Amino acid sequence: MYEKLPFPFTLLLKQYRYWRRKLLQLLAIKGRTAWIYSPYCQTHFAGEEHPESPQRTLAIEQALRKSGLWRLMQRIEASEVSDIQLSRVHTRNYLSYLESQVPETGKVKINEDTYLSKDTLCAARFAAGAAIKAVDMVMKPHAKNAFCAIRPPGHHASSDKASGFCFINNVAVAAMHAIAEYRLERVAIVDFDVHHGDGTEEIFQDDERVMFLSSFEYPLYPFSGLNFSGSNPNVINSPLKAGDGSEVFRDMVRQHWLPRLAAFRPQMIFLSAGFDAHKDDTLSHLNLTEADFEWLTKKIMLIANRHANGRIVSVLEGGYNIKSLAASAKAHIACLIKASPFM
């Protein structure tokens, strides 16, 4: 057993931490990268063989602990999203429908391979709450940036439909929170999941305050992203074909994303951080590596530093090979951590 610290030392330590926090606030220096989580997110269970498993976030945490990065982050437990916050993105009828489908035991098939268990809706509400908390942490001088280690994912959930393992569109809820509560006029969502973020696109298809950039393999589920019918001129879809790797992906980002993103001058950048475009992920056929996710993160951070005071909220989406997910997310988060003044 460890000996308890003497009372005077404990008091001095508390006072030191208090005054350090006050000084950093006074100097407008933001704190360490925030790891936003909720234990409720681990309760969603779609089945033993389902790729969207509780092991996903645990693997990322273990990789960060093993690398020594874990101690450089602040861990923040999320609260549940409110009905008002959800109503900015999803219809009341859809939310009522989800509640009506929650089973007492087992699971219910909602859409194709999207299953609702008795704990799913609770997990989804806390996942969205984590994205809300991340916005609050970054907008106030409490964190330089944040990573939301949450599940179920969200970018396939549209305003009125669950799809592709997703029930609540976490990144959309967070983006609308930033607009509604902090009066931001321009926010960007960069979605590098291997599947097109069709739900996010549908939600913001006519909202010019939101820039949406999505790279994805095509043809691949949800088989969308080629024909955009909305009025928002800030939607940029970038399809990739099976077999494409680092060179094609990086050229696309340089030519199509970075100039448009810089011209948009976002006041906050959200990342729909899917790592299933990795060459080892069996749900896709692209050939990206950890180095590509690291490279992209650094490029986005440069624009965030120039236009958004470094504000980045990264929200976990896909990534289903546990080993490549952990390695890729670690590389991504390491970049975020290096932006902190505590490094």
Side-chain angles (χ1 to χ4, degrees):
M1 294 291 292
Y2 292 103
E3 291 186 6
K4 197 171 184 180
L5 292 172
F7 173 73
F9 181 83
T10 304
L11 183 61
L12 285 172
L13 185 61
K14 287 182 179 179
Q15 290 178 342
Y16 164 74
R17 289 172 175 168
Y18 172 81
W19 287 112
R20 183 184 68 169
R21 185 169 64 252
K22 288 295 183 182
L23 178 61
L24 292 174
Q25 290 176 357
L26 184 64
L27 297 176
I29 298 176
K30 295 186 176 183
R32 294 174 295 174
T33 295
W35 167 277
I36 315 291
Y37 73 100
S38 171
Y40 290 101
C41 289
Q42 297 303 98
T43 62
H44 166 55
F45 184 66
E48 292 288 351
E49 303 300 321
H50 200 282
E52 208 294 281
S53 74
Q55 192 60 35
R56 297 174 63 236
T57 50
L58 293 176
I60 298 173
E61 178 180 332
Q62 289 167 3
L64 293 172
R65 287 183 181 275
K66 188 175 181 179
S67 68
L69 293 170
W70 184 251
R71 61 182 178 81
L72 300 176
M73 306 177 75
Q74 51 178 321
R75 277 82 69 188
I76 306 296
E77 185 171 341
S79 301
E80 184 178 2
V81 68
S82 72
D83 290 340
I84 291 176
Q85 291 163 341
L86 287 179
S87 69
R88 296 173 181 146
V89 167
H90 296 291
T91 66
R92 181 176 300 178
N93 286 343
Y94 169 62
L95 296 173
S96 297
Y97 165 75
L98 283 182
E99 292 176 358
S100 71
Q101 296 300 301
V102 176
E104 292 186 7
T105 59
K107 58 185 180 181
V108 173
K109 187 175 183 179
I110 297 294
N111 184 294
E112 298 173 4
D113 48 9
T114 305
Y115 295 91
L116 189 72
S117 67
K118 65 183 180 66
D119 297 313
T120 297
L121 191 53
C122 176
R125 290 182 68 99
F126 275 90
I132 292 284
K133 183 64 176 178
V135 171
D136 292 338
M137 291 287 293
V138 171
M139 287 303 300
K140 299 171 184 177
H142 297 163
K144 180 75 173 178
N145 48 50
F147 180 81
C148 300
I150 55 176
R151 52 180 299 277
H155 72 150
H156 292 307
S158 66
S159 60
D160 61 357
K161 185 179 70 172
S163 183
F165 312 164
C166 305
F167 303 90
I168 292 173
N169 196 310
N170 305 310
V171 77
V173 170
M176 282 307 302
H177 178 67
I179 291 171
E181 296 297 327
Y182 296 97
R183 301 295 187 262
L184 297 189
E185 298 175 351
R186 297 178 308 281
V187 301
I189 300 172
V190 179
D191 186 333
F192 53 87
D193 190 280
V194 78
H195 304 98
H196 178 236
D198 56 329
T200 309
E201 179 186 272
E202 183 267 338
I203 289 166
F204 295 116
Q205 62 182 340
D206 299 314
D207 193 338
E208 296 185 16
R209 298 171 298 180
V210 180
M211 170 169 276
F212 178 62
L213 303 99
S214 178
S215 63
F216 52 95
E217 181 182 337
Y218 190 90
L220 189 69
Y221 179 88
F223 305 101
S224 59
L226 295 189
N227 300 307
F228 177 64
S229 59
S231 63
N232 182 359
N234 301 313
V235 172
I236 299 100
N237 287 316
S238 303
L240 303 168
K241 66 181 184 298
D244 284 347
S246 299
E247 184 177 356
V248 173
F249 175 74
R250 295 190 188 197
D251 284 346
M252 178 277 295
V253 171
R254 290 190 192 98
Q255 295 176 24
H256 300 290
W257 281 11
L258 299 181
R260 292 288 299 273
L261 190 58
F264 185 66
R265 296 181 295 113
Q267 295 165 301
M268 175 175 277
I269 298 179
F270 294 89
L271 303 178
S272 267
F275 300 99
D276 40 5
H278 193 281
K279 61 183 179 62
D280 294 334
D281 200 297
T282 57
L283 293 193
S284 65
H285 314 92
L286 297 186
N287 290 308
L288 301 190
T289 67
E290 299 94 298
D292 295 308
F293 298 118
E294 178 181 1
W295 176 85
L296 175 63
T297 306
K298 290 178 178 177
K299 294 297 183 184
I300 298 300
M301 288 174 66
L302 288 174
I303 294 177
N305 290 337
R306 189 177 307 137
H307 299 292
N309 197 25
R311 300 180 187 125
I312 292 178
V313 168
S314 180
V315 179
L316 181 63
E317 300 285 1
Y320 304 102
N321 177 297
I322 296 300
K323 186 176 179 179
S324 64
L325 167 64
S328 300
K330 184 187 74 173
H332 168 66
I333 294 168
C335 295
L336 300 179
I337 290 173
K338 289 175 183 177
S340 168
F342 292 89
M343 276 299 293

